[in-house]
PDB file of all heavy atoms in Angstrom:
ATOM      1  N   SER T1149    -187.312 222.720   9.131  1.00 53.00           N
ATOM      2  CA  SER T1149    -188.467 221.952   9.558  1.00 53.00           C
ATOM      3  C   SER T1149    -188.517 220.643   8.791  1.00 53.00           C
ATOM      4  O   SER T1149    -187.918 220.499   7.725  1.00 53.00           O
ATOM      5  CB  SER T1149    -189.749 222.754   9.347  1.00 53.00           C
ATOM      6  OG  SER T1149    -190.143 222.733   8.005  1.00 53.00           O
ATOM      7  N   ASP T1151    -190.605 218.021   6.626  1.00 71.00           N
ATOM      8  CA  ASP T1151    -191.817 217.953   5.817  1.00 71.00           C
ATOM      9  C   ASP T1151    -191.658 216.873   4.751  1.00 71.00           C
ATOM     10  O   ASP T1151    -190.645 216.184   4.684  1.00 71.00           O
ATOM     11  CB  ASP T1151    -192.138 219.302   5.184  1.00 71.00           C
ATOM     12  CG  ASP T1151    -190.951 219.842   4.387  1.00 71.00           C
ATOM     13  OD1 ASP T1151    -190.034 219.076   4.076  1.00 71.00           O
ATOM     14  OD2 ASP T1151    -190.962 221.053   4.097  1.00 71.00           O
ATOM     15  N   LEU T1163    -181.443 205.938   2.875  1.00 90.00           N
ATOM     16  CA  LEU T1163    -181.506 204.732   3.694  1.00 90.00           C
ATOM     17  C   LEU T1163    -180.476 203.699   3.244  1.00 90.00           C
ATOM     18  O   LEU T1163    -179.775 203.116   4.079  1.00 90.00           O
ATOM     19  CB  LEU T1163    -182.909 204.128   3.635  1.00 90.00           C
ATOM     20  CG  LEU T1163    -183.104 202.806   4.365  1.00 90.00           C
ATOM     21  CD1 LEU T1163    -183.046 203.030   5.870  1.00 90.00           C
ATOM     22  CD2 LEU T1163    -184.410 202.172   3.966  1.00 90.00           C
ATOM     23  N   VAL T1164    -180.355 203.487   1.958  1.00 94.00           N
ATOM     24  CA  VAL T1164    -179.386 202.514   1.438  1.00 94.00           C
ATOM     25  C   VAL T1164    -177.959 202.961   1.736  1.00 94.00           C
ATOM     26  O   VAL T1164    -177.116 202.163   2.166  1.00 94.00           O
ATOM     27  CB  VAL T1164    -179.604 202.293  -0.075  1.00 94.00           C
ATOM     28  CG1 VAL T1164    -178.450 201.523  -0.691  1.00 94.00           C
ATOM     29  CG2 VAL T1164    -180.921 201.558  -0.304  1.00 94.00           C
ATOM     30  N   CYS T1169    -173.069 202.171   5.180  1.00 90.00           N
ATOM     31  CA  CYS T1169    -172.046 202.643   6.116  1.00 90.00           C
ATOM     32  C   CYS T1169    -172.147 201.926   7.458  1.00 90.00           C
ATOM     33  O   CYS T1169    -171.125 201.571   8.058  1.00 90.00           O
ATOM     34  CB  CYS T1169    -172.172 204.147   6.313  1.00 90.00           C
ATOM     35  SG  CYS T1169    -171.749 205.092   4.838  1.00 90.00           S
ATOM     36  N   ALA T1173    -169.265 199.562   9.206  1.00 82.00           N
ATOM     37  CA  ALA T1173    -168.774 199.808  10.566  1.00 82.00           C
ATOM     38  C   ALA T1173    -168.915 198.563  11.428  1.00 82.00           C
ATOM     39  O   ALA T1173    -168.020 198.237  12.219  1.00 82.00           O
ATOM     40  CB  ALA T1173    -169.531 200.977  11.188  1.00 82.00           C
ATOM     41  N   SER T1177    -165.961 195.858  13.496  1.00 74.00           N
ATOM     42  CA  SER T1177    -166.006 195.332  14.867  1.00 74.00           C
ATOM     43  C   SER T1177    -165.846 193.819  14.875  1.00 74.00           C
ATOM     44  O   SER T1177    -165.080 193.270  15.669  1.00 74.00           O
ATOM     45  CB  SER T1177    -167.331 195.699  15.541  1.00 74.00           C
ATOM     46  OG  SER T1177    -167.452 197.084  15.642  1.00 74.00           O
ATOM     47  N   TYR T1178    -166.565 193.148  13.995  1.00 76.00           N
ATOM     48  CA  TYR T1178    -166.479 191.694  13.956  1.00 76.00           C
ATOM     49  C   TYR T1178    -165.192 191.225  13.285  1.00 76.00           C
ATOM     50  O   TYR T1178    -164.731 190.116  13.530  1.00 76.00           O
ATOM     51  CB  TYR T1178    -167.699 191.105  13.241  1.00 76.00           C
ATOM     52  CG  TYR T1178    -168.949 191.217  14.054  1.00 76.00           C
ATOM     53  CD1 TYR T1178    -169.920 192.155  13.755  1.00 76.00           C
ATOM     54  CD2 TYR T1178    -169.144 190.404  15.162  1.00 76.00           C
ATOM     55  CE1 TYR T1178    -171.064 192.268  14.516  1.00 76.00           C
ATOM     56  CE2 TYR T1178    -170.283 190.518  15.926  1.00 76.00           C
ATOM     57  CZ  TYR T1178    -171.233 191.439  15.594  1.00 76.00           C
ATOM     58  OH  TYR T1178    -172.358 191.552  16.351  1.00 76.00           O
ATOM     59  N   GLY T1179    -164.604 192.053  12.429  1.00 79.00           N
ATOM     60  CA  GLY T1179    -163.394 191.662  11.723  1.00 79.00           C
ATOM     61  C   GLY T1179    -162.160 191.572  12.598  1.00 79.00           C
ATOM     62  O   GLY T1179    -161.222 190.840  12.288  1.00 79.00           O
ATOM     63  N   ILE T1180    -162.132 192.317  13.709  1.00 79.00           N
ATOM     64  CA  ILE T1180    -160.946 192.286  14.567  1.00 79.00           C
ATOM     65  C   ILE T1180    -161.011 191.191  15.620  1.00 79.00           C
ATOM     66  O   ILE T1180    -160.023 190.938  16.303  1.00 79.00           O
ATOM     67  CB  ILE T1180    -160.705 193.646  15.246  1.00 79.00           C
ATOM     68  CG1 ILE T1180    -161.845 193.997  16.190  1.00 79.00           C
ATOM     69  CG2 ILE T1180    -160.473 194.730  14.239  1.00 79.00           C
ATOM     70  CD1 ILE T1180    -161.572 195.194  17.062  1.00 79.00           C
ATOM     71  N   MET T1184    -157.812 189.167  18.333  1.00 79.00           N
ATOM     72  CA  MET T1184    -157.730 189.476  19.761  1.00 79.00           C
ATOM     73  C   MET T1184    -157.034 188.307  20.473  1.00 79.00           C
ATOM     74  O   MET T1184    -156.242 187.609  19.875  1.00 79.00           O
ATOM     75  CB  MET T1184    -159.133 189.730  20.326  1.00 79.00           C
ATOM     76  CG  MET T1184    -159.871 190.872  19.654  1.00 79.00           C
ATOM     77  SD  MET T1184    -159.000 192.421  19.635  1.00 79.00           S
ATOM     78  CE  MET T1184    -159.300 193.011  21.257  1.00 79.00           C
ATOM     79  N   ASN T1185    -157.338 188.075  21.699  1.00 79.00           N
ATOM     80  CA  ASN T1185    -156.725 187.016  22.492  1.00 79.00           C
ATOM     81  C   ASN T1185    -157.186 185.652  21.961  1.00 79.00           C
ATOM     82  O   ASN T1185    -158.355 185.301  22.078  1.00 79.00           O
ATOM     83  CB  ASN T1185    -157.124 187.193  23.958  1.00 79.00           C
ATOM     84  CG  ASN T1185    -156.373 186.274  24.876  1.00 79.00           C
ATOM     85  OD1 ASN T1185    -155.688 185.353  24.438  1.00 79.00           O
ATOM     86  ND2 ASN T1185    -156.493 186.536  26.163  1.00 79.00           N
ATOM     87  N   GLN T1188    -158.987 183.288  24.379  1.00 85.00           N
ATOM     88  CA  GLN T1188    -160.307 183.740  24.847  1.00 85.00           C
ATOM     89  C   GLN T1188    -161.189 184.187  23.681  1.00 85.00           C
ATOM     90  O   GLN T1188    -162.003 185.092  23.832  1.00 85.00           O
ATOM     91  CB  GLN T1188    -160.127 184.892  25.841  1.00 85.00           C
ATOM     92  CG  GLN T1188    -159.320 184.541  27.048  1.00 85.00           C
ATOM     93  CD  GLN T1188    -160.035 183.515  27.917  1.00 85.00           C
ATOM     94  OE1 GLN T1188    -161.258 183.474  27.959  1.00 85.00           O
ATOM     95  NE2 GLN T1188    -159.268 182.674  28.585  1.00 85.00           N
ATOM     96  N   SER T1193    -165.780 187.083  21.259  1.00 83.00           N
ATOM     97  CA  SER T1193    -166.903 187.027  20.323  1.00 83.00           C
ATOM     98  C   SER T1193    -168.228 187.294  21.033  1.00 83.00           C
ATOM     99  O   SER T1193    -169.088 188.021  20.517  1.00 83.00           O
ATOM    100  CB  SER T1193    -166.967 185.660  19.646  1.00 83.00           C
ATOM    101  OG  SER T1193    -165.825 185.429  18.889  1.00 83.00           O
ATOM    102  N   ALA T1194    -168.389 186.737  22.211  1.00 84.00           N
ATOM    103  CA  ALA T1194    -169.622 186.950  22.967  1.00 84.00           C
ATOM    104  C   ALA T1194    -169.777 188.407  23.390  1.00 84.00           C
ATOM    105  O   ALA T1194    -170.873 188.974  23.316  1.00 84.00           O
ATOM    106  CB  ALA T1194    -169.644 186.047  24.193  1.00 84.00           C
ATOM    107  N   GLY T1199    -172.542 193.368  22.842  1.00 78.00           N
ATOM    108  CA  GLY T1199    -172.459 194.829  22.838  1.00 78.00           C
ATOM    109  C   GLY T1199    -173.498 195.457  21.929  1.00 78.00           C
ATOM    110  O   GLY T1199    -174.086 196.488  22.266  1.00 78.00           O
ATOM    111  N   GLY T1200    -173.759 194.849  20.797  1.00 74.00           N
ATOM    112  CA  GLY T1200    -174.789 195.367  19.898  1.00 74.00           C
ATOM    113  C   GLY T1200    -176.168 195.280  20.508  1.00 74.00           C
ATOM    114  O   GLY T1200    -176.982 196.201  20.393  1.00 74.00           O
ATOM    115  N   GLY T1203    -176.449 197.932  23.216  1.00 77.00           N
ATOM    116  CA  GLY T1203    -176.634 199.242  22.593  1.00 77.00           C
ATOM    117  C   GLY T1203    -178.058 199.446  22.106  1.00 77.00           C
ATOM    118  O   GLY T1203    -178.611 200.545  22.211  1.00 77.00           O
ATOM    119  N   ALA T1204    -178.673 198.389  21.583  1.00 79.00           N
ATOM    120  CA  ALA T1204    -180.060 198.493  21.131  1.00 79.00           C
ATOM    121  C   ALA T1204    -181.005 198.736  22.300  1.00 79.00           C
ATOM    122  O   ALA T1204    -181.956 199.519  22.195  1.00 79.00           O
ATOM    123  CB  ALA T1204    -180.465 197.222  20.391  1.00 79.00           C
ATOM    124  N   PHE T1209    -184.497 202.602  25.186  1.00 79.00           N
ATOM    125  CA  PHE T1209    -184.942 203.352  26.357  1.00 79.00           C
ATOM    126  C   PHE T1209    -184.733 204.852  26.166  1.00 79.00           C
ATOM    127  O   PHE T1209    -185.543 205.664  26.611  1.00 79.00           O
ATOM    128  CB  PHE T1209    -184.216 202.889  27.620  1.00 79.00           C
ATOM    129  CG  PHE T1209    -184.763 201.624  28.182  1.00 79.00           C
ATOM    130  CD1 PHE T1209    -183.938 200.534  28.367  1.00 79.00           C
ATOM    131  CD2 PHE T1209    -186.092 201.505  28.528  1.00 79.00           C
ATOM    132  CE1 PHE T1209    -184.421 199.352  28.882  1.00 79.00           C
ATOM    133  CE2 PHE T1209    -186.603 200.330  29.050  1.00 79.00           C
ATOM    134  CZ  PHE T1209    -185.766 199.250  29.221  1.00 79.00           C
ATOM    135  N   PHE T1211    -184.581 206.678  23.268  1.00 71.00           N
ATOM    136  CA  PHE T1211    -185.242 207.366  22.166  1.00 71.00           C
ATOM    137  C   PHE T1211    -186.731 207.090  22.048  1.00 71.00           C
ATOM    138  O   PHE T1211    -187.422 207.793  21.326  1.00 71.00           O
ATOM    139  CB  PHE T1211    -184.569 207.017  20.842  1.00 71.00           C
ATOM    140  CG  PHE T1211    -183.086 207.231  20.867  1.00 71.00           C
ATOM    141  CD1 PHE T1211    -182.223 206.229  20.487  1.00 71.00           C
ATOM    142  CD2 PHE T1211    -182.555 208.421  21.309  1.00 71.00           C
ATOM    143  CE1 PHE T1211    -180.864 206.421  20.514  1.00 71.00           C
ATOM    144  CE2 PHE T1211    -181.188 208.625  21.352  1.00 71.00           C
ATOM    145  CZ  PHE T1211    -180.350 207.627  20.946  1.00 71.00           C
ATOM    146  N   TYR T1212    -187.231 206.095  22.718  1.00 72.00           N
ATOM    147  CA  TYR T1212    -188.651 205.783  22.580  1.00 72.00           C
ATOM    148  C   TYR T1212    -189.468 206.160  23.802  1.00 72.00           C
ATOM    149  O   TYR T1212    -190.640 205.825  23.888  1.00 72.00           O
ATOM    150  CB  TYR T1212    -188.843 204.306  22.230  1.00 72.00           C
ATOM    151  CG  TYR T1212    -188.311 203.990  20.861  1.00 72.00           C
ATOM    152  CD1 TYR T1212    -187.173 203.229  20.702  1.00 72.00           C
ATOM    153  CD2 TYR T1212    -188.926 204.497  19.732  1.00 72.00           C
ATOM    154  CE1 TYR T1212    -186.669 202.961  19.445  1.00 72.00           C
ATOM    155  CE2 TYR T1212    -188.431 204.236  18.475  1.00 72.00           C
ATOM    156  CZ  TYR T1212    -187.309 203.465  18.330  1.00 72.00           C
ATOM    157  OH  TYR T1212    -186.806 203.202  17.090  1.00 72.00           O
ATOM    158  N   THR T1220    -186.139 216.953  19.676  1.00 82.00           N
ATOM    159  CA  THR T1220    -185.229 216.503  20.730  1.00 82.00           C
ATOM    160  C   THR T1220    -184.792 215.052  20.557  1.00 82.00           C
ATOM    161  O   THR T1220    -183.608 214.749  20.731  1.00 82.00           O
ATOM    162  CB  THR T1220    -185.854 216.735  22.113  1.00 82.00           C
ATOM    163  OG1 THR T1220    -186.133 218.125  22.249  1.00 82.00           O
ATOM    164  CG2 THR T1220    -184.922 216.299  23.216  1.00 82.00           C
ATOM    165  N   ALA T1226    -178.458 211.804  17.641  1.00 84.00           N
ATOM    166  CA  ALA T1226    -177.211 212.262  17.020  1.00 84.00           C
ATOM    167  C   ALA T1226    -176.080 212.305  18.043  1.00 84.00           C
ATOM    168  O   ALA T1226    -174.963 211.882  17.751  1.00 84.00           O
ATOM    169  CB  ALA T1226    -177.423 213.638  16.401  1.00 84.00           C
ATOM    170  N   TYR T1228    -175.858 210.471  20.733  1.00 78.00           N
ATOM    171  CA  TYR T1228    -175.570 209.065  21.059  1.00 78.00           C
ATOM    172  C   TYR T1228    -174.643 208.459  20.002  1.00 78.00           C
ATOM    173  O   TYR T1228    -173.665 207.799  20.317  1.00 78.00           O
ATOM    174  CB  TYR T1228    -176.891 208.305  21.143  1.00 78.00           C
ATOM    175  CG  TYR T1228    -176.774 206.841  21.450  1.00 78.00           C
ATOM    176  CD1 TYR T1228    -176.570 206.395  22.737  1.00 78.00           C
ATOM    177  CD2 TYR T1228    -176.905 205.893  20.440  1.00 78.00           C
ATOM    178  CE1 TYR T1228    -176.483 205.047  23.010  1.00 78.00           C
ATOM    179  CE2 TYR T1228    -176.814 204.551  20.704  1.00 78.00           C
ATOM    180  CZ  TYR T1228    -176.597 204.130  21.993  1.00 78.00           C
ATOM    181  OH  TYR T1228    -176.513 202.788  22.275  1.00 78.00           O
ATOM    182  N   MET T1230    -172.675 210.076  17.853  1.00 84.00           N
ATOM    183  CA  MET T1230    -171.366 210.730  17.864  1.00 84.00           C
ATOM    184  C   MET T1230    -170.529 210.286  19.055  1.00 84.00           C
ATOM    185  O   MET T1230    -169.299 210.174  18.964  1.00 84.00           O
ATOM    186  CB  MET T1230    -171.539 212.250  17.880  1.00 84.00           C
ATOM    187  CG  MET T1230    -172.127 212.794  16.592  1.00 84.00           C
ATOM    188  SD  MET T1230    -171.164 212.369  15.130  1.00 84.00           S
ATOM    189  CE  MET T1230    -169.685 213.304  15.428  1.00 84.00           C
TER     190      MET T1230
END
Side-chain angles (χ1 to χ4, degrees):
S1149 78
D1151 54 16
L1163 176 70
V1164 168
C1169 292
S1177 298
Y1178 288 105
I1180 64 170
M1184 301 305 280
N1185 189 349
Q1188 300 294 330
S1193 297
F1209 281 123
F1211 308 128
Y1212 293 110
T1220 301
Y1228 179 80
M1230 292 303 293

